[in-house]
Amino acid sequence: TYTNGHVGTADGPETTEADTSGSGRMRKSLEGRGSTQNDSIHLKRRVGLFSGVALIVGTMIGSGIFVSPSGLLVRTGSVGVSFLIWLACGLLSLLGALSYAELGTMNTSSGAEWAYFMDAFGPAPAFLFSWVSTLVLKPSQMAIICLSFAQYAVEAFVSECDPPISVIKMVALLAVIMILFVNCYSVDLGMAVQNIFTAAKLVAVLIVICGGAYKLAQGNVQHLTNAFNNPAPSVGAVATAFYTGLWAYDGWNNLNYVTEEIQNPSKNLPRSIIIGIPLVTLCYALINISYLAAMSPIEMIESEAVAVTFGNRILGALAWLMPLSVTVSTFGSANGTLFAAGRLCFAASREGHLLDILSYVHVRRLTPAPGLIFHSLIAAAMVLYGTIDSLIDFFSFTAWIFYGGSMVALLVMRYTKPNYPRPYKVPLIIPILVLVISGYLVAAPIVEKPQIEYLYAVLFILAGLIFYVPFVKMGLTPRFMGMLIL
Ligand code: ARG
């Protein structure tokens, strides 16, 4: 019931656009598609502006804003500095995403970083990205969010003691399976879940903001005055605080993974970014103020889950709404993450960069089911063997290496491919700034506190070459792969 995704994805006028902007190999596969177009199966363009915004906002707002504010306060030791970092993270995400808007409207194939690396640097770096991303980045995002989901879902029922870790892991696995099912069933169902959960989580955000406004109106402003009274934090502490904040904003590039399914991407991609990211930044800023209207910074640091403490203070009999909101929020975010991950797998494997079978699309359901199942299996293993904190640290370090890489790709292509159509052109200073900051984000924690794990992370990225040379460059097909394809 599967067909190979080599035939491409688009219908409608965007096909031409993709043809002119893809890399040599990409173009080859797209041209190849032309002749087989009629009997080909492809992912349809179903993502409009609303769904585009939902894919960004609904993925970005996940667990972070409900758990990280205390972490940021601990690391900076000051309400004012924390707040500035929250805003700076939003601005950095917006600048990064604007650069991705140029990349995504110039090369309209799905797969984000993978497609841009392919164009700018060629197949080997693109392969390294898909290697790290399919084996580590995407599954770890999924695992972190599902673990947070489980923690809150279980907490709602167990109030007397800490819930057993095995129960949390089982619930997290259940979440992975449910989301996998939704996304394999149909693209429409995946999108519907995304839209509904995004709307629901925006309502939850609104409840927090209104609660905070009510408290402020009562005159509870004492924790917001003198916000800069504490000593300034160290440079390294600021970098790690950024990591905590940036996790809450991660997902700003999510729509770039599914460009081939966006209707009129050259308009809707930049628009969704320009609407989505400032909206999230505004929500996060207001939520932080609301928390401080309801509790002191010390109470915030001591709270296991700020949002739940907030609910207990403000919502009275409706306090249960808070853990429920967090589960809704994380479930939606995990759904958006898997939706994007499946597309990355699909795009990379149709170029022969991953097992061929991962590029298959289910004939009737038109979903990239094998890619989705593959990601979910690795995510499940991470749920079983990892913890939220260890996963976040490793994730952020590796992710920012690649976000920086995309900025280099943009700059390189301004010179190597000056004639590619660029429906949206970002001012050059923006990718340069993001590149410098990502360099700082990657280097600062290593300089501040050298850990062997960072070396392992780099070695792991490079280890991909061991697979690249025989299987992709020389085109050897291991026996088991051949059997799968047959
Ligand atoms: N920002 C989300 C959160 O706070 C995590 C998003 C994961 N990243 C992604 N690209 N799907 O939980």
Side-chain angles (χ1 to χ4, degrees):
T1 42
Y2 292 101
T3 187
N4 191 311
H6 276 283
V7 287
T9 60
D11 42 350
E14 308 302 338
T15 316
T16 352
E17 207 176 314
D19 274 345
T20 52
S21 60
S23 67
R25 293 192 62 167
M26 177 60 68
R27 225 176 293 137
K28 207 161 72 202
S29 98
L30 288 170
E31 279 159 13
R33 173 189 60 201
S35 52
T36 50
Q37 188 124 40
N38 289 340
D39 46 291
S40 70
I41 295 288
H42 30 76
L43 299 170
K44 292 258 163 57
R45 289 190 184 276
R46 293 191 178 167
V47 180
L49 181 62
F50 186 82
S51 304
V53 175
L55 259 175
I56 295 181
V57 173
T59 309
M60 285 175 79
I61 305 181
S63 57
I65 187 61
F66 300 110
V67 285
S68 312
S70 349
L72 252 147
L73 265 183
V74 173
R75 287 180 167 166
T76 59
S78 140
V79 170
V81 178
S82 289
F83 191 70
L84 288 184
I85 293 186
W86 275 106
L87 293 184
C89 289
L91 185 64
L92 179 60
S93 312
L94 179 63
L95 298 184
L98 288 177
S99 310
Y100 270 60
E102 169 169 332
L103 289 164
T105 48
M106 185 173 110
N107 177 348
T108 52
S109 38
S110 289
E113 290 87 356
W114 180 84
Y116 315 142
F117 285 10
M118 193 81 177
D119 261 4
F121 313 131
F127 172 80
L128 286 190
F129 172 76
S130 57
W131 155 261
V132 177
S133 201
T134 35
L135 287 180
V136 182
L137 291 180
K138 290 282 152 200
S140 62
Q141 288 170 343
M142 183 78 184
I144 298 167
I145 308 172
C146 288
L147 279 169
S148 313
F149 165 86
Q151 207 160 10
Y152 279 90
V154 174
E155 214 150 280
F157 296 99
V158 190
S159 50
E160 302 290 294
C161 53
D162 278 347
I165 189 83
S166 52
V167 175
I168 294 188
K169 298 213 164 197
M170 285 304 133
V171 175
L173 283 184
L174 207 66
V176 173
I177 295 170
M178 278 192 302
I179 293 165
L180 174 64
F181 174 77
V182 165
N183 283 280
C184 285
Y185 189 78
S186 81
V187 176
D188 282 343
L189 183 62
M191 272 332 300
V193 166
Q194 192 65 17
N195 291 348
I196 294 168
F197 276 73
T198 301
K201 85 175 70 174
L202 285 177
V203 172
V205 165
L206 212 63
I207 295 178
V208 175
I209 294 174
C210 292
Y214 173 71
K215 276 275 171 190
L216 286 182
Q218 284 185 329
N220 282 324
V221 289
Q222 66 274 28
H223 307 307
L224 296 169
T225 47
N226 300 329
F228 290 96
N229 269 357
N230 305 61
S234 76
V235 181
V238 170
T240 48
F242 259 98
Y243 270 168
T244 314
L246 284 170
W247 166 253
Y249 282 97
D250 202 70
W252 49 263
N253 59 348
N254 216 37
L255 197 53
N256 284 63
Y257 289 99
V258 300
T259 327
E260 288 168 29
E261 284 157 86
I262 308 177
Q263 297 155 357
N264 195 359
S266 53
K267 292 229 163 53
N268 281 335
L269 178 66
R271 274 186 199 157
S272 307
I273 286 173
I274 289 165
I275 298 173
I277 296 166
L279 180 68
V280 174
T281 312
L282 181 72
C283 291
Y284 284 6
L286 294 178
I287 291 178
N288 270 293
I289 296 178
S290 294
Y291 286 156
L292 284 166
M295 61 191 110
S296 73
I298 307 282
E299 286 171 312
M300 227 166 124
I301 290 174
E302 278 169 4
S303 154
E304 287 274 311
V306 229
V308 174
T309 313
F310 178 88
N312 291 340
R313 293 273 165 89
I314 300 230
L315 299 177
L318 295 180
W320 53 268
L321 263 179
M322 249 15 260
L324 179 71
S325 307
V326 181
T327 48
V328 166
S329 174
T330 40
F331 191 85
S333 180
N335 182 65
T337 302
L338 188 68
F339 191 89
R343 274 58 188 176
L344 168 68
C345 226
F346 172 77
S349 51
R350 78 176 164 201
E351 286 293 303
H353 276 193
L354 294 169
L355 288 184
D356 215 15
I357 190 172
L358 298 181
S359 72
Y360 284 23
V361 173
H362 194 283
V363 168
R364 269 176 300 116
R365 306 210 166 278
L366 300 182
T367 54
L372 296 173
I373 295 173
F374 180 73
H375 269 110
S376 303
L377 284 176
I378 303 179
M382 288 182 169
V383 163
L384 288 179
Y385 298 107
T387 64
I388 294 185
D389 291 332
S390 62
L391 288 170
I392 287 192
D393 281 348
F394 185 64
F395 165 80
S396 305
F397 175 77
T398 322
W400 278 91
I401 294 179
F402 289 113
Y403 295 155
S406 294
M407 299 304 126
V408 179
L410 189 153
L411 298 172
V412 165
M413 283 191 285
R414 282 283 180 102
Y415 288 98
T416 55
K417 306 189 189 315
N419 299 327
Y420 268 22
R422 288 179 173 79
Y424 173 83
K425 209 167 178 179
V426 74
L428 215 52
I429 181 72
I430 290 183
I432 295 177
L433 199 69
V434 178
L435 177 62
V436 171
I437 298 175
S438 57
Y440 162 75
L441 284 174
V442 171
I446 304 183
V447 176
E448 173 97 353
K449 198 164 140 234
Q451 276 175 333
I452 192 79
E453 280 80 2
Y454 294 126
L455 183 66
Y456 289 154
V458 174
L459 287 180
F460 179 81
I461 298 178
L462 294 178
L465 289 176
I466 300 174
F467 290 86
Y468 175 73
V469 175
F471 295 136
V472 182
K473 190 148 185 68
M474 293 163 58
L476 297 181
T477 308
R479 239 209 167 114
F480 73 95
M481 247 168 87
M483 277 161 28
L484 282 177
I485 295 163
L486 286 175

